[in-house]
Amino acid sequence: MLNPVVAIDGPAASGKSTVARKLAAKLNFVYVDTGAMYRAFAWLALEKNIDPADRAAISGLLESVKFELAISGGAIAMKLNGTDPAPFIREERINAAVSKIAAIPELRERLVIEQRKLRNLSPLVMEGRDIGTVVFTDTIFKFFLDADPVIRAQRRQLQGQADAITKRDQQDSNRAVAPLTKAADATLVDATYDDADAIVGKILQICRDKGLSQAKVDAL
Ligand code: DC
């Protein structure tokens, strides 16, 4: 039997990370932030003075990189060439570079393969831009979180971050491969006004109605 996956997609600062993390904790599933993987490669490219939009150079980097993705203590552990990139991937220079590298097909192919492998290890709540449309098209637990762009920009400011989210959304939505879009069978969740707990409750209810691991959901 395949492990269940809850797929959560949506634009930047839609609240999907908070929602996905809380949902995973409630379900006792592993939380997977796929944006962190694209950010990690953006960081590596910048460290090596490689233009994140340079397809040939990034393809070359992929051939030599040691990419380790594991589940440790119920969470994702990632290393690039032996280094955990987590402390560096929320920097503003990464915000500015990540959509460029995320448009490179060879990188997407590689990461999709790695993301799919995680399902063999654990039930997952995976969030990103293409989880319902590309990575796990077969899951019936698909959600697309959206929120008013003004509210999303305010959220980023409150986090003390400069992040041109509208520009990033445009780049993510207009790229040729795996553009940000709602899967036809995903449930649209408006996260403009509800707080994260209310949204988690809504998503849990829908998952329960669709038969997701009744025992775990009931044990909340
Ligand atoms: O979720 P985030 O803002 O940390 O994601 C950073 C960038 O990574 C986002 O602008 C687009 C890209 N991304 C992607 O293309 N596909 C994913 N599944 C996740 C993120």
Side-chain angles (χ1 to χ4, degrees):
M1 266 277 279
L2 281 174
N3 279 316
V5 176
V6 182
I8 302 190
D9 290 305
S14 57
K16 62 190 184 330
S17 301
T18 310
V19 165
R21 197 178 287 112
K22 282 179 178 246
L23 186 68
K26 291 224 174 211
L27 288 166
N28 208 20
F29 288 11
V30 168
Y31 163 66
V32 188
D33 171 6
T34 59
M37 301 177 196
Y38 290 94
R39 287 172 177 274
F41 275 91
W43 165 75
L44 187 66
L46 295 182
E47 283 302 291
K48 293 188 174 292
N49 281 320
I50 295 174
D51 175 358
D54 184 337
R55 184 172 178 180
I58 298 298
S59 297
L61 184 67
L62 283 167
E63 276 165 32
S64 64
V65 72
K66 189 173 175 217
F67 181 57
E68 296 169 84
L69 196 61
I71 294 177
S72 169
I76 294 293
M78 175 170 52
K79 277 189 181 166
L80 280 187
N81 291 338
T83 300
D84 177 359
F88 318 113
I89 62 173
R90 307 285 156 194
E91 292 172 6
E92 288 171 8
R93 64 189 186 120
I94 306 292
N95 289 342
V98 66
S99 289
K100 294 180 194 151
I101 203 165
I104 293 182
E106 288 80 2
L107 175 62
R108 303 203 68 86
E109 269 167 40
R110 173 77 174 270
L111 289 183
V112 168
I113 290 170
E114 300 292 340
Q115 289 156 6
R116 286 183 179 147
K117 280 190 210 159
L118 294 171
R119 188 189 211 169
N120 301 329
L121 307 176
S122 170
L124 308 171
V125 175
M126 186 175 281
E127 58 121 328
R129 303 293 189 290
D130 61 343
I131 313 307
T133 51
V134 175
V135 185
F136 291 119
T137 49
D138 64 320
T139 185
I140 58 165
F141 310 112
K142 281 187 198 180
F143 299 88
F144 191 89
L145 249 68
D146 209 351
D148 186 293
V150 175
I151 301 283
R152 292 193 285 116
Q154 281 171 1
R155 279 190 193 142
R156 270 296 188 270
Q157 273 169 7
L158 286 173
Q159 291 165 348
Q161 281 202 36
D163 187 356
I165 56 166
T166 310
K167 187 172 169 209
R168 204 141 68 84
D169 290 347
Q170 272 169 3
Q171 287 177 330
D172 294 342
S173 303
N174 293 331
R175 68 180 173 227
V177 184
L180 168 66
T181 182
K182 178 188 160 304
D185 56 345
T187 302
L188 179 65
V189 180
D190 186 340
T192 305
Y193 301 112
D194 285 351
D195 69 10
D197 288 326
I199 295 166
V200 169
K202 204 184 266 183
I203 292 178
L204 268 177
Q205 185 60 49
I206 294 170
C207 289
R208 179 186 291 143
D209 291 347
K210 289 186 170 184
L212 178 65
S213 181
Q214 202 62 35
K216 279 184 178 148
V217 178
D218 279 349
L220 297 172

